[in-house]
Amino acid sequence: MLYDAFYLSLDYLFTIIPVMVIGVVAAEFLVEIGWIHKIGFIVSPMTRFAHLREECSISFITALGSPAASNSMLKKLYDDGLVDK
């Protein structure tokens, strides 16, 4: 029984980890080449409705691919004084 649980866990990890790595790499690539800023208009209506700054829309799109990258973007915006708590 313990062997089955270990085997199923490894099977799940070997299935999920490559997908997660590809998603994070793709999201970081899109951020680096600047495409995330170009497609920010997609979520701009939602951010305007929520009374958020335009910079938050870029972070929202990034969160779909990489939550860590999105959090770092929000931290940078906070440090620069563009957003507050």
Side-chain angles (χ1 to χ4, degrees), residues 27 30-31 33-41 58-59 61-62 73:
L30 291 175
V31 168
I33 63 174
W35 283 14
I36 295 296
H37 293 287
K38 292 179 183 175
I39 60 173
F41 70 91
I58 298 165
S59 178
I61 291 173
T62 306
M73 289 173 73

Side-chain angles (χ1 to χ4, degrees), residues 13-63:
L13 287 175
F14 287 133
T15 304
I16 293 299
I17 288 176
V19 174
M20 290 177 61
V21 169
I22 290 170
V24 168
V25 169
E28 292 295 327
F29 179 73
L30 291 175
V31 168
E32 286 299 318
I33 63 174
W35 283 14
I36 295 296
H37 293 287
K38 292 179 183 175
I39 60 173
F41 70 91
I42 294 172
V43 294
S44 291
M46 284 194 308
T47 55
R48 268 186 265 130
F49 179 74
H51 303 290
L52 297 172
R53 295 182 58 95
E54 185 178 338
E55 291 85 2
C56 293
S57 64
I58 298 165
S59 178
F60 181 79
I61 291 173
T62 306

